[in-house]
Every structure is written in structure tokens, then in C-alpha cells.
Amino acid sequence: MKSMYASLLPAVLAATITVACQTVQTTQAGAVGVQRSQMMMVSAQEVEQASGKQYQEMLNEARKKNALNRDAATVQRVRRIVARLTPHTGVFRSDAPAWKWEVNVFSSDELNAWCMAGGKMAIYTGLIDRLKLSDDEIAAVMGHEIAHALREHARERISKSMATGIGLSVAGAVLGVGQVGQDLMGKVAQVTFELPNSREHETEADRMGVELAARAGYDPRAAVTLWDKMATQSSGAPPQWLSTHPSHASRQRDLADYASKVMPLYQAARR
């Protein structure tokens, strides 16, 4: 049986790579005009499943440490804001409002927040309390993170990392090796918690985030004040979760420009 697999493997790999490597447009442009094709080498379903498992592990670990949703008022506040944001995700992709959105609050001094594939989110108390965030600023944070999920940036980054080891990854998938699923979970954790996003990804999330906030009736200019607060806590540089790539000045200008563009949406939502 081994010799048969060995003879078939090159052809199977070639066919699988051809199918797996695809160029997609994950979202519509929206009012902010985010339009860029993305190269994907792993399916959205695989990344979403791995993200769901990773998320449950994170929740279980936080629960063991008594660090999950400790303050009911804060949890209610965050969930209320997110509940206003998520219906507007349909502007960027029609399937997104039906995602199983979930947000939890982790008790930690870290300045951190994230949203995994499929809409599994967390925000840390350090970000809310240390920066004394307003509702508009929380909406800016969560809108930014939601945008990463809508654009499937994690899937795109995993795909790029797979490009150098595609033979091993695809071979494992073809032969049904159980470790592949575990490896994908590891990749999800790495791109979510460890590696900073690229300038391109951060810019897309910034622009889409201000539009989501504006459509939900939150002042999109809060993204600028949020960034000012982040800079004061990070010696003029952003923390890892927001990436060190875009300079403070250029990011401020871009956020201000795009907040201005979506002000009519904010004003309409407030009527």
C-alpha cells in the first residue's frame, strides 16, 4: 500500500495545490473603498474551525484563572456595542451578519483585543480601564478587529506562511494526518496573538472599522482619539496587537481622512 501512495502522491499534491491556491475578494468595497484580491491556500472553513477550537481553549484557560467576564457591567457594555456593530457587517459581506458572533472580556492588564475567524472576539480590561475608553472608542477597537475577520486576514497570513511548506501541509491533509488540524490551530494562535499585522492589513482594518462604527451610530473620529491614547501608553509606538508598521503620524492622518469620509453615515445613523 505504501508504494501505491508514493506513486500517486505527486499527482494528488499537484491537483490539490491547484485547487487550494485561489485568488479571492473576501469583501465588498463599502464606502471606504477597500478592494484588494487575496491569495488563499487554506479554506475559510478550516481556519474557522481551528479558530473556534482555539477560542474555546482561551476561554477555558481564562475561566480557570477566574479572568473571564468578571465584571457584569463591563461585559454588558461591550456586548451592547458589538451588537450594534455586527448587523452592519453586511455592507462588506452578505454572510457576515449571520455569523455566530461572540465577545468576552478577559481580566488582564494587557492593552489587547482581537477577533478570530467567524467572529469570536475578546477585549481585555487593561485596554478599557487603563485608557478609560468611551463607548465610541470601544466601537473603534472592536470595529477594527471585526474588519480583520471580515477580510480574513488570518487566513491570508496563514496562506502566505504555507507557501514555503506547502508540500508538507498538503501531504498531511491528503493523507488525513491528525496533526495537521493541531498545526493549523497553532498557526491561528500565532497570527492572532504573536505576530503583528502588516501595514496593508492594518490600514484595511482601520478604514473598514471607522465605517462600521459610523453606520452603528458611533463617532468615527474616536478612532483618532483612541490612537492618541494608545501612543501615550506605548512610548509613541503602538502595541504589538496594532502592529508597528504604520507610523503614528501617517496612521493618524489616514484615520482622520476616512473618519471624515464616513461622517455622513454617522450623522444619518444618529437621526
Side-chain angles (χ1 to χ4, degrees):
M1 293 294 289
K2 284 185 179 180
S3 61
M4 183 181 72
Y5 276 125
S7 62
L8 288 176
L9 188 55
V12 173
L13 285 177
T16 307
I17 292 170
T18 300
V19 172
C21 183
Q22 56 179 318
T23 301
V24 301
Q25 176 64 260
T26 55
T27 58
Q28 301 299 314
V32 292
V34 171
Q35 286 183 302
R36 177 179 62 86
S37 295
Q38 298 158 275
M39 186 275 291
M40 302 297 193
M41 300 180 76
V42 60
S43 74
Q45 183 180 17
E46 288 171 318
V47 174
E48 186 172 337
Q49 287 177 345
S51 296
K53 291 178 181 178
Q54 185 66 44
Y55 189 65
Q56 288 305 314
E57 287 190 5
M58 293 288 293
L59 294 183
N60 291 338
E61 188 64 25
R63 194 175 287 111
K64 288 177 184 177
K65 296 178 180 179
N66 191 31
L68 181 66
N69 298 330
R70 289 178 57 180
D71 183 72
T74 300
V75 174
Q76 184 180 26
R77 181 188 179 201
V78 170
R79 288 180 174 171
R80 182 180 67 250
I81 293 168
V82 169
R84 282 176 54 179
L85 292 170
T86 54
H88 299 283
T89 57
V91 169
F92 294 107
R93 49 188 301 167
S94 60
D95 64 323
W99 287 3
K100 295 180 180 179
W101 297 96
E102 182 178 349
V103 61
N104 290 283
V105 179
F106 288 13
S107 293
S108 169
D109 198 44
E110 289 183 58
L111 301 176
N112 205 358
W114 38 265
C115 181
M116 290 182 170
K120 304 304 183 188
M121 290 174 273
I123 187 170
Y124 291 36
T125 54
L127 190 63
I128 298 171
D129 298 337
R130 286 172 57 187
L131 302 189
K132 297 180 172 56
L133 296 187
S134 66
D135 284 5
D136 291 322
E137 289 166 338
I138 292 176
V141 170
M142 302 316 295
H144 176 100
E145 296 306 318
I146 287 169
H148 279 307
L150 296 176
R151 287 291 289 162
E152 299 186 46
H153 285 154
R155 180 185 170 201
E156 185 178 13
R157 295 169 73 196
I158 290 168
S159 295
K160 287 181 179 179
S161 71
M162 284 175 62
T164 56
I166 185 65
L168 179 61
S169 300
V170 175
V174 170
L175 298 179
V177 179
Q179 184 62 32
V180 172
Q182 197 67 32
D183 289 346
L184 187 55
M185 283 179 63
K187 284 290 186 185
V188 166
Q190 187 180 42
V191 300
T192 302
F193 309 121
E194 299 173 20
L195 300 177
N197 283 299
S198 69
R199 178 183 307 199
E200 190 169 48
H201 287 181
E202 287 295 279
T203 299
E204 289 178 347
D206 280 349
R207 294 175 181 180
M208 292 171 63
V210 296
E211 179 169 346
L212 287 171
R215 289 184 180 276
Y218 292 105
D219 192 334
R221 295 168 295 189
V224 179
T225 63
L226 168 68
W227 188 250
D228 284 335
K229 289 182 178 181
M230 297 300 301
T232 63
Q233 291 289 321
S234 310
S235 301
Q240 189 176 41
W241 71 283
L242 280 175
S243 171
T244 58
H245 292 289
S247 72
H248 176 70
S250 64
R251 192 167 200 168
Q252 286 284 66
R253 285 193 301 270
D254 195 73
L255 282 168
D257 286 347
Y258 279 83
S260 178
K261 288 181 181 180
V262 298
M263 278 301 290
L265 297 174
Y266 168 61
Q267 291 161 351
R270 297 291 290 174
R271 291 190 188 122

